[in-house]
Amino acid sequence: QVQLVESGGGLVQPGGSLRLSCSASGNMYSGYAMGWYRQAPGKQRELVAAITSGGSTNYADSVKGRFTISRDNAKNTVNLQMNSLKPEATAVYYCNTGAMKVTTTGRYWGQGTQVTVSS
């Protein structure tokens, strides 16, 4: 079983930045892709960004150029640097792993961390 713990969410003003972190523990296969999804109220959960162990990435069009995903394979951690945040980024952000590709959703989820972008 894999456990994912997210941190770094909070309240930020439009145009601001936040950095989310996720740490994976348990029977974690280092070859899994790791990623971030988000779910806003009344909307479906959607991919934000994902990264393979080799560094290949996949970003939602809405965040390209503003968000950067990175990972530390030795520590099984993944980070999401979010810059120039917009109010529409307000959502619960979930860490995800368990898939081999950045275009596939893994079966393991964290508990989520709230990101609120508001003035």
Side-chain angles (χ1 to χ4, degrees):
Q1 187 68 21
V2 174
Q3 294 82 41
L4 301 171
V5 178
E6 302 105 331
S7 62
L11 173 64
V12 64
Q13 293 186 341
S17 298
L18 278 177
R19 183 177 177 86
L20 305 183
S21 295
C22 172
S23 178
S25 61
N27 191 20
M28 175 66 180
Y29 173 49
S30 61
Y32 285 150
M34 298 185 76
W36 290 94
Y37 286 68
R38 66 186 179 190
Q39 187 167 19
K43 295 187 176 181
Q44 290 187 330
R45 193 173 297 190
E46 62 177 0
L47 172 72
V48 178
I51 185 169
T52 66
S53 58
S56 297
T57 58
N58 183 25
Y59 290 94
D61 288 342
S62 59
V63 308
K64 285 179 180 177
R66 298 184 298 114
F67 290 14
T68 302
I69 191 168
S70 60
R71 69 184 284 172
D72 183 332
N73 291 330
K75 297 181 179 179
N76 283 334
T77 59
V78 61
N79 300 309
L80 184 69
Q81 178 66 42
M82 305 186 292
N83 299 329
S84 302
L85 281 162
K86 304 176 181 179
E88 50 263 42
T90 296
V92 178
Y93 284 68
Y94 297 90
C95 184
N96 175 265
T97 194
M100 298 302 296
K101 300 178 180 180
V102 291
T103 52
T104 304
T105 303
R107 62 186 180 274
Y108 301 111
W109 294 95
Q111 81 286 353
T113 186
Q114 177 69 48
V115 170
T116 302
V117 185
S118 175
S119 55

